[in-house]
Amino acid sequence: MLFLTAASSGSAGSMTSLIMLALMFVLLYFIMIRPERKKKKEADQMRDALKVGDEITTIGGIVGEVCHIKDDNIVIEVGADRVRMEFKKWAIASNESAAAAARKAAEDRRNERAKAKKEK
């Protein structure tokens, strides 16, 4: 009898361990993997939406204006000397022009809401 109860509790213990391990992987996915994939997708969309004339910053901190876009490369103009540099698209960290336009649009929406609220 003693052997049967020990065997059954061992089986239940291993099942509990498997469930806990599965829960840990699910938690890891939602805390680390999913947000990282979302960030990568947003960065890829930002790089694909670049157009000539945008003010960008590279991952190395170089700030310049996009002058030419090739398949996987971007040529930017840097500084007052108008030096042109070529980078891979993955080296672009941010699009300052798009960020400024988004900030302005958000501010305009806030002002419109405040104006509508005052009129009431």
Side-chain angles (χ1 to χ4, degrees):
M1 272 311 218
L2 190 56
F3 178 71
L4 289 175
T5 57
S8 65
S9 71
S11 172
S14 65
M15 187 60 125
T16 305
S17 300
L18 288 174
I19 291 172
M20 291 301 287
L21 188 62
L23 286 174
M24 285 182 10
F25 279 116
V26 168
L27 189 64
L28 178 75
Y29 174 78
F30 281 107
I31 290 177
M32 294 178 69
I33 297 170
R34 190 170 179 225
E36 191 63 33
R37 282 186 181 173
K38 185 177 177 183
K39 259 187 186 175
K40 186 179 181 315
K41 185 178 178 182
E42 288 172 355
D44 288 342
Q45 287 175 346
M46 179 269 303
R47 291 179 185 122
D48 289 338
L50 286 174
K51 58 187 181 297
V52 175
D54 282 347
E55 183 91 12
I56 56 125
T57 303
T58 66
I59 56 175
I62 298 172
V63 178
E65 185 178 316
V66 177
C67 349
H68 187 70
I69 300 174
K70 298 178 186 174
D71 292 333
D72 201 23
N73 297 330
I74 290 183
V75 178
I76 66 171
E77 216 170 67
V78 183
D81 296 339
R82 298 179 57 149
V83 175
R84 290 186 175 204
M85 303 172 99
E86 186 170 347
F87 291 94
K88 293 286 187 184
K89 273 190 177 180
W90 60 262
I92 306 303
S94 65
N95 183 347
E96 304 302 324
S97 300
R103 281 192 300 269
K104 185 175 180 346
E107 185 178 322
D108 290 345
R109 282 192 303 264
R110 249 184 273 125
N111 290 340
E112 287 176 14
R113 284 187 208 136
K115 186 177 178 182
K117 195 173 184 179
K118 270 187 173 180
E119 289 176 358
K120 286 183 178 183

